[in-house]
Amino acid sequence: MRRSRGTAIALALSLAGTGAAIGLGLVPQAAAVTPPVAFTADALSTWQPNGVVWALAETGGQVFVGGTFSTVRPPSGGGGGSEQSAVNFVALDAATGAPTSCELDFTVGGGTATVRALTLSPDKKTLYAGGYFGAVNGTPVSSVAAIDVATCTVKTSFRPAFAATVRALAVTGDTVYAGGDFLTVAGQPRQRFAAVATADGALRPFTANADDPGRAVEVTPDGENVLLGGDFFTVNGTNSHALAVVDATTGALTRSYPGFIENNSVVKDIATDATGFYTANEGTGGGVFDGRIALDLSDLNQRWRDTCLGATQAVLPYQSVLYSASHAHDCSSVGEFPDGRRHHLLAQPTASVGKLGWAPDTNDGIGEGIGPRVMTIGSKGGTPYLWVGGEFTTVNEAAQQSLTRFSSTGDTGAPTVPVASAVSFKPGEVQVRWRTSLDLDDSALTYKIYRNGAAGPIGIVTADSLFFRRPQASWTDTTASPGQSYTYRVTATDAAGNTSALSGTSTVTVPTSVDAYPNAVRTDGAQQYWRYDESAAPFVADSSDGGNQSGIHLNGPALRQTPGAVTGASTAIGFNGTDQQVYGDKRQSIGGSYSIETWFKTNTTRGGKLLGFGNNQDRNSSQYDKHIYMTNDGRLVYGVYTGATRTITTPGSYNDNQWHHVVATQGPGGMTLYVDGVQRGTLNVTTHENYTGFWHVGADNLGGWPDRPTSDFWAGQLDESAVYPTVLSAAQVQNHHTLASAPADSVVEVTAAEDTYANAGAPGTNYGTSGSLAVRGSALYASYLRFNLPAAPAGTVLKSATLGIKTSTMSGAGTTDTVSVVPITGAWTEGGTTYTNRPALGTPALGSFAGIPDGSAAHSTGLDTAGVAGALGGSYGLALTSAGTDALWLWSSEAAAGEGTPRLTLTFGAP
């Protein structure tokens, strides 16, 4: 019924950034959307019918809409005008979405009239309509009518007589092909498919009798054959369920497809392009085929088959992309999203199965609750528009009934705000991680990382994401100073330049020595490592060295539970035992060797799953093993499925509300379970169930497993969950357990208790209450800071000291000169210091800033540790001085921007 020709558009790969970046980059090539997608996902203002749209066609900047409705009204939430009568048909302007002057009423004497098919003659001068109706604007017809496009009037010379509903039409220069429910045409036997002359509707000899309704008709581009789709099982007595190819003149079978499409599935639509034809398929019951098939016109054989579940209603090839309307809810069979929410509009290359970055959405709507049912391309002023009709009542979650459209230009939708976090495991390095953003028409996004509130980004990363695949991306700051605290924020920008808001601020303090526990987990090869240190839902960062196996919170587990299992700043996550869990954001398969590890703390008597693998994501899995769960009495069970459940169970219980460490491994040597660093059981089983799926923490199905607890959901806390593609040794397991309780460095931040500056230009003036500090050599400004330092905690020494400052927002606040940090040796007070009585300064310098750029931003410098250590437990004064003439302006402790207060960051640790 529709033909489109297109050319392939190349995709470019790139990875950019300052520092080290992780993420698959797709850089847009000066397009409003990510190629080869041709349309935005932003729904345009469109008039809407009060019923169901079944058919669309377009010519000359007009889009013709057919269906079962009686009126049209202005767009939801905008547009002027009032409701207008439109009996099963309306013509709309392709560019504005408003009604044109062409008005046709399709009516019937008895029953409910409907328009089910619209198509245009090759010269675009005649519109053919099919359905169930007996008159058009009062002119008698019989379920098929021809409309002169120029005058919007019925062609009375075209009078075919179809005895029942016509559901599909295709037209050549001299023939109209029809499919539907009819058994006769003009009193002659024609079962479900027929052909009539375009001139007068006279019946053609074409005979392709089917035993059940026809729903789709399409003529091959060479005009030699007709493609038939529907509910049928035979055509002209030959087995060819739901799909057949017949001769365009006689209707004789050219190609039959016995057993090609499941018996409980049908073909709802067929579309062609220059090289192939595509089917939309709908099934009922179990074991159905609901997806799309691409076949080559050269040999009529299958090119590919997309086995997603979710009743496909329409397919439309355009510029090498196949757009489809369905309610796809399970694409796990093609390695995409598992069973879950419905997605009604999708796109994929005509050459392959994989989905592209275009996913506007509707709801199921009224009628049969199918959602969108038909699509066409309408153009005006050189701009193509993708029109979608059906029975939906919302588009992109906004009210809009049965009709919507998307432009090829004017992308206005910004990506979602990244959810970012930052972590530092060793000196001089901070890893900033974020869940890639969602943009419904751009899979390739550019991320900018901002440090300490600077106006410009410190790093740039391009990364690819889809609505069902949003992997973690990351960037590593290799310029971070040990002992210093930093803040990071991230934005996402699409190909059209639409930019998200800044992510929430993530703050991290860089350690002065390697953080032993996470370093061991990473060194031992964890490919997924969830530490649960996030302060905001729903993203769970992967801290493994690869960093791309992130997770998602479900139903709001409790965040930042303290104390965590590992000594230091790490926090845990809490689950209510009712509906909460964390699931993996990326589908994966598990090899023959693996290890799973987590820490847990609970007093539950209802049991639950701690950690395991399952084939579903945010729903209960139907395949599930490689898991650790707790029985009601607190024992731990590690199990795999080999056709039967194979388990190791601890003799003792661990629901004592204390932190415990559990590791389960499987490989060529069999299964082993460790608890608190000690082996608690082995089993000579080297295999497990083979399927792709997702890791779950805190819940998933336990049906059929030994000693199944009362609850599949875990009630308690978990921490430091890791998955390895290898078998951890007993020594590695013991080392992890030991390192968790090793003393950790402690970090103390001390803000300035007093600060002021001296000004040679106003020698008697005190600036103690000013919101600013200033530094310059000539004419002199000098700033003075006082800190009340804590004593070193027992058993520790000062390992590093860092001074942090923040430039003000005034123009030219930075400096090109070196600013030195020196000790103050003379007496001074914030309220009494002036240039005239400024304190004496000591030597040598404790640290320096080698120039500071303009723009309000935080900066830091390390200080001589020995010099600061001698002042611990007392008051300590520092001065900022310069020999140059370019003034530096800073926020003081009195500034409204409190985060700009000068501060010392002190790190204490074992000697």
Side-chain angles (χ1 to χ4, degrees):
M1 290 177 289
R2 291 173 294 276
R3 301 187 201 114
S4 174
R5 293 171 174 82
T7 56
I9 300 175
L11 295 179
L13 276 177
S14 175
L15 194 65
T18 304
I22 297 175
L24 177 63
L26 288 171
V27 178
Q29 301 297 311
V33 294
T34 302
V37 170
F39 300 97
T40 79
D42 306 318
L44 297 177
S45 176
T46 308
W47 279 58
Q48 50 193 325
N50 65 346
V52 178
V53 171
W54 298 101
L56 294 169
E58 183 271 345
T59 187
Q62 279 192 107
V63 173
F64 304 110
V65 182
T68 311
F69 50 85
S70 60
T71 64
V72 291
R73 64 188 187 278
S76 292
S82 57
E83 189 172 69
Q84 299 179 13
S85 175
V87 182
N88 303 313
F89 177 91
V90 66
L92 301 176
D93 186 284
T96 68
T100 70
S101 59
C102 180
E103 298 180 8
L104 300 169
D105 291 349
F106 287 75
T107 58
V108 69
T112 302
T114 184
V115 175
R116 293 298 181 112
L118 293 171
T119 194
L120 286 147
S121 60
D123 63 6
K124 304 293 185 181
K125 293 181 178 181
T126 303
L127 173 68
Y128 292 91
Y132 179 68
F133 46 84
V136 180
N137 282 2
T139 299
V141 293
S142 183
S143 291
V144 174
I147 312 298
D148 181 78
V149 171
T151 62
C152 190
T153 58
V154 178
K155 289 188 172 184
T156 56
S157 59
F158 180 80
R159 292 291 301 274
F162 285 82
T165 301
V166 172
R167 299 181 180 274
L169 293 172
V171 182
T172 65
D174 60 3
T175 303
V176 178
Y177 297 92
D181 302 346
F182 52 86
L183 299 177
T184 64
V185 179
Q188 299 298 311
R190 291 292 190 276
Q191 298 177 17
R192 279 83 185 205
F193 294 100
V196 299
T198 56
D200 56 8
L203 187 64
R204 297 288 199 195
F206 174 92
T207 301
N209 290 329
D211 58 341
D212 276 315
R215 297 184 182 274
V217 181
E218 178 67 272
V219 182
T220 57
D222 61 9
E224 297 294 323
N225 293 295
V226 179
L227 311 170
L228 309 180
D231 301 4
F232 52 83
F233 286 86
T234 63
V235 175
N236 291 338
T238 298
N239 182 14
S240 189
H241 174 53
L243 180 66
V245 183
V246 298
D247 183 84
T249 301
T250 67
L253 271 167
T254 300
R255 175 69 179 270
S256 62
Y257 292 91
F260 184 67
I261 295 173
E262 283 74 358
N263 283 347
N264 52 355
S265 297
V266 302
V267 170
K268 298 297 290 288
D269 188 23
I270 299 175
T272 67
D273 61 14
T275 64
F277 65 101
Y278 310 87
T279 69
N281 304 273
E282 176 186 82
T284 303
V288 301
F289 174 57
D290 262 352
R292 293 152 289 282
I293 302 174
L295 302 98
D296 289 318
L297 286 168
S298 58
D299 57 11
L300 305 179
N301 289 329
Q302 178 175 296
R303 178 187 302 166
W304 52 255
R305 179 180 291 232
D306 183 341
T307 54
C308 288
L309 295 175
T312 306
Q313 302 297 307
V315 285
L316 176 60
Y318 180 74
Q319 294 186 349
S320 299
V321 173
L322 184 69
Y323 298 88
S324 60
S326 69
H327 57 253
H329 59 86
D330 185 355
C331 287
S332 56
S333 62
V334 292
E336 296 174 338
F337 52 90
D339 193 16
R341 61 163 289 188
R342 292 180 168 189
H343 302 278
H344 296 85
L345 295 169
L346 300 173
Q348 61 201 106
T350 54
S352 61
V353 172
K355 305 303 180 295
L356 297 170
W358 184 80
D361 205 10
T362 73
N363 64 354
D364 291 341
I366 59 177
E368 297 177 42
I370 294 292
R373 287 185 173 273
V374 64
M375 298 184 294
T376 196
I377 306 294
S379 298
K380 189 170 184 181
T383 300
Y385 300 89
L386 174 61
W387 285 70
V388 179
E391 54 194 32
F392 48 85
T393 58
T394 66
V395 179
N396 293 341
E397 300 183 349
Q400 175 70 21
Q401 184 171 348
S402 298
L403 198 59
T404 189
R405 61 201 177 96
F406 306 94
S407 178
S408 57
T409 62
D411 180 14
T412 60
T416 58
V417 179
V419 180
S421 66
V423 67
S424 182
F425 299 119
K426 58 186 179 181
E429 186 174 293
V430 175
Q431 185 191 51
V432 184
R433 303 87 53 89
W434 61 94
R435 188 188 190 202
T436 46
S437 296
L438 173 62
D439 190 297
L440 294 179
D441 47 32
D442 284 282
S443 57
L445 300 175
T446 299
Y447 298 89
K448 295 181 179 179
I449 302 95
Y450 297 84
R451 186 174 78 175
N452 291 346
I458 190 173
I460 300 175
V461 173
T462 60
D464 189 56
S465 59
L466 297 167
F467 68 92
F468 60 89
R469 185 178 296 129
R470 295 172 59 188
Q472 176 173 303
S474 66
W475 177 84
T476 300
D477 183 357
T478 56
T479 65
S481 300
Q484 174 61 33
S485 294
Y486 295 91
T487 63
Y488 296 89
R489 303 181 80 179
V490 181
T491 63
T493 303
D494 67 12
N498 301 305
T499 300
S500 74
L502 283 161
S503 69
T505 300
S506 183
T507 303
V508 63
T509 299
V510 183
T512 57
S513 59
V514 172
D515 196 346
Y517 183 89
N519 183 65
V521 172
R522 288 157 57 91
T523 300
D524 289 341
Q527 66 179 10
Q528 177 177 303
Y529 183 20
W530 296 345
R531 302 205 73 197
Y532 311 118
D533 292 336
E534 293 76 26
S535 57
F539 173 64
V540 181
D542 178 12
S543 294
S544 71
D545 202 29
N548 64 358
Q549 303 283 357
S550 51
I552 300 298
H553 301 117
L554 181 63
N555 295 323
L559 306 182
R560 300 195 65 78
Q561 301 293 287
T562 57
V566 176
T567 300
S570 179
T571 61
I573 190 170
F575 298 92
N576 62 10
T578 303
D579 62 355
Q580 296 172 339
Q581 63 170 294
V582 172
Y583 59 82
D585 206 18
K586 183 178 180 181
R587 180 185 296 276
Q588 54 187 290
S589 57
I590 307 302
S593 296
Y594 64 89
S595 301
I596 54 179
E597 173 181 40
T598 196
W599 288 78
F600 66 94
K601 178 182 178 182
T602 187
N603 60 2
T604 184
T605 57
R606 301 178 69 245
K609 183 176 290 192
L610 285 73
L611 171 63
F613 195 68
N615 67 324
N616 249 332
Q617 196 168 21
D618 58 354
R619 292 188 174 192
N620 231 23
S621 295
S622 59
Q623 292 175 286
Y624 43 96
D625 75 335
K626 298 174 279 294
H627 53 202
I628 301 168
Y629 61 93
M630 180 174 278
T631 64
N632 288 347
D633 60 3
R635 291 173 296 138
L636 294 177
V637 181
Y638 163 42
V640 301
Y641 186 72
T642 63
T645 58
R646 306 301 302 274
T647 60
I648 302 171
T649 304
T650 63
S653 298
Y654 298 93
N655 55 346
D656 57 2
N657 218 29
Q658 300 296 314
W659 279 111
H660 295 282
H661 179 228
V662 58
V663 177
T665 70
Q666 186 180 29
M671 299 167 59
T672 304
L673 177 64
Y674 302 87
V675 182
D676 294 334
V678 179
Q679 185 186 109
R680 299 297 181 182
T682 62
L683 192 63
N684 187 25
V685 174
T686 61
T687 62
H688 52 78
E689 191 169 8
N690 185 22
Y691 56 92
T692 59
F694 308 85
W695 287 104
H696 294 252
V697 168
D700 202 9
N701 204 347
L702 283 170
W705 282 82
D707 295 320
R708 182 183 184 182
T710 301
S711 174
D712 293 347
F713 289 88
W714 170 256
Q717 294 180 343
L718 293 171
D719 201 2
E720 306 290 332
S721 301
V723 178
Y724 305 78
T726 58
V727 173
L728 291 179
S729 68
Q732 288 173 314
V733 172
Q734 177 61 56
N735 184 47
H736 291 193
H737 181 256
T738 301
L739 289 176
S741 57
D745 290 351
S746 61
V747 178
V748 178
E749 279 198 349
V750 184
T751 57
E754 291 186 281
D755 53 20
T756 187
Y757 74 96
N759 179 1
T765 302
N766 171 260
Y767 294 94
T769 59
S770 170
S772 298
L773 300 172
V775 183
R776 185 174 62 194
S778 178
L780 186 138
Y781 295 142
S783 290
Y784 309 101
L785 315 172
R786 188 191 310 280
F787 298 92
N788 295 322
L789 302 184
T796 69
V797 297
L798 182 67
K799 300 181 73 173
S800 70
T802 304
L803 174 65
I805 56 175
K806 187 172 184 180
T807 45
S808 74
T809 54
M810 69 179 292
S811 178
T815 181
T816 58
D817 299 326
T818 295
V819 175
S820 297
V821 183
V822 298
I824 298 174
T825 58
W828 67 283
T829 63
E830 180 181 86
T833 297
T834 66
Y835 176 81
T836 301
N837 66 2
R838 64 191 187 278
L841 306 180
T843 58
L846 300 168
S848 64
F849 297 90
I852 293 177
D854 289 343
S856 181
H859 302 274
S860 63
T861 185
L863 303 182
D864 178 69
T865 304
V868 178
L872 292 175
S875 176
Y876 189 48
L878 298 174
L880 300 177
T881 66
S882 172
T885 58
D886 186 10
L888 171 69
W889 289 92
L890 307 172
W891 292 123
S892 75
S893 56
E894 282 78 21
E899 76 277 6
T901 299
R903 65 193 64 205
L904 281 176
T905 301
L906 308 175
T907 302
F908 299 96

